[in-house]
Amino acid sequence: MGHIIAVAGKGGVGKTTLTGLLIQYLCESGKKPVLAVDADANANLNEVLGVGIECTLGELREEIERAGVDSRYQIPAGMTKQAYLEARLADAITEEDDYDLMVMGRTQGQGCYCFVNGLVQTQIQKLQSHYPYVVVDNEAGMEHISRGLIPTMEIAILVSDCSRRGVQAAGRIAALMKELNFKPKTVGLIVNRAPEGKLDAGTMEEVEKQGLTLLGVVPQDQDVYQYDCDGKPIVRLPKDSPVRSALHDIVQKLGL
């Protein structure tokens, strides 16, 4: 049974960047194949990893929903919508040499993401046994946690920037997991984009106030910003990148 690592935090703290580098680290350490899951409607883990995606779970949902109404979408005669969906789910997985990427994506127009969220959960449960590690990049905020999307997670990595608000958001997610009786073996905080890799005393005070275990601090790095501006995959950062070094130390601390 694959070990599930869930990454969560408020928006804009760099959790997808760290998720991509974590996936790369696991693959390079021989813990492959990894199932990478982008469980965010506003998907961009593929950009961090530098891979294209042809189909998302959200697009599949639209295809099934519109079949029989829109001439562009047809289900083979004699096949139910559910059977067709099952047959197509593999198309929402992008296969790379060391990992496979499954992307939630979004539905079109108005409406909630309940069905697509359910698909993500079902697929993780179905595929978990085929991979030594499953790494899930959650959408910003608390919705996926509150929906119980990944109750079987073993490691919950909460990501914050070096602001008190970010740490408070991480604390609320940790508290919610306890309320829902989730019991990951490890729950820890990574503080990202810290100037010179150091935390201000006020931020550290907030980490302690929230009762969070600090896994490590990742420094602010101009290269990450520049790679993003240039459209380069973050996983192509130099081997001596301070971000890579900090994440390496954190992964060692986690025992991965």
Side-chain angles (χ1 to χ4, degrees):
M1 189 67 72
H3 305 287
I4 296 182
I5 303 172
V7 185
K10 72 185 289 290
V13 297
K15 62 183 180 57
T16 301
T17 293
L18 295 184
T19 300
L21 291 172
L22 172 60
I23 291 165
Q24 184 182 50
Y25 178 89
L26 290 171
C27 293
E28 290 178 347
S29 301
K31 299 175 175 68
K32 54 188 180 181
V34 173
L35 176 61
V37 181
D38 189 340
D40 193 339
N42 187 15
N44 59 8
L45 180 58
N46 66 298
E47 295 168 1
V48 170
L49 294 169
V51 298
I53 51 174
E54 295 185 4
C55 181
T56 69
L57 292 175
E59 289 168 345
L60 276 184
R61 188 265 184 190
E62 287 299 314
E63 183 177 330
I64 302 298
E65 186 71 15
R66 294 168 184 265
V69 178
D70 189 324
S71 59
R72 293 175 298 172
Y73 306 106
Q74 299 293 329
I75 293 178
M79 183 176 274
T80 65
K81 284 187 176 183
Q82 183 61 36
Y84 183 65
L85 175 61
E86 290 293 332
R88 290 291 315 280
L89 282 172
D91 295 337
I93 297 178
T94 300
E95 298 182 358
E96 295 294 309
D97 291 339
D98 297 333
Y99 64 87
D100 294 339
L101 173 62
M102 181 172 69
V103 178
M104 172 179 157
R106 66 178 184 87
T107 54
Q108 296 179 7
Q110 297 180 340
C112 75
Y113 295 104
C114 300
F115 183 82
V116 185
N117 275 309
L119 275 182
V120 173
Q121 184 177 26
T122 301
Q123 287 300 95
I124 290 175
Q125 293 171 347
K126 181 190 299 184
L127 298 171
Q128 182 181 359
S129 62
H130 301 295
Y131 301 86
Y133 284 91
V134 178
V135 181
V136 184
D137 181 25
N138 286 278
E139 67 179 350
M142 302 170 71
E143 184 172 356
H144 274 174
I145 302 298
S146 66
R147 286 180 181 275
L149 181 67
I150 37 179
T152 57
M153 70 180 99
E154 288 189 19
I155 298 175
I157 298 176
L158 308 177
V159 181
S160 171
D161 55 16
C162 52
S163 70
R164 277 184 176 263
R165 291 189 301 276
V167 174
Q168 288 165 358
R172 285 191 287 270
I173 293 173
L176 179 60
M177 286 192 293
K178 287 184 179 180
E179 290 175 18
L180 295 172
N181 202 33
F182 290 178
K183 296 179 180 178
K185 293 179 180 178
T186 302
V187 179
L189 174 71
I190 296 177
V191 177
N192 193 27
R193 298 177 183 156
E196 299 180 359
K198 299 177 182 178
L199 289 190
D200 179 89
T203 304
M204 193 65 221
E205 178 185 65
E206 191 63 41
V207 172
E208 294 171 357
K209 181 180 177 181
Q210 295 294 329
L212 296 169
T213 299
L214 184 62
L215 296 173
V217 180
V218 177
Q220 190 171 27
D221 185 355
Q222 180 65 22
D223 281 348
V224 173
Y225 170 75
Q226 197 59 54
Y227 270 50
D228 185 52
C229 290
D230 295 342
K232 295 180 181 178
I234 302 299
V235 293
R236 294 181 187 169
L237 282 171
K239 295 295 184 182
D240 61 353
S241 161
V243 171
R244 282 186 179 278
S245 298
L247 188 63
H248 176 272
D249 292 343
I250 291 168
V251 172
Q252 293 292 311
K253 188 174 183 179
L254 287 169
L256 298 177

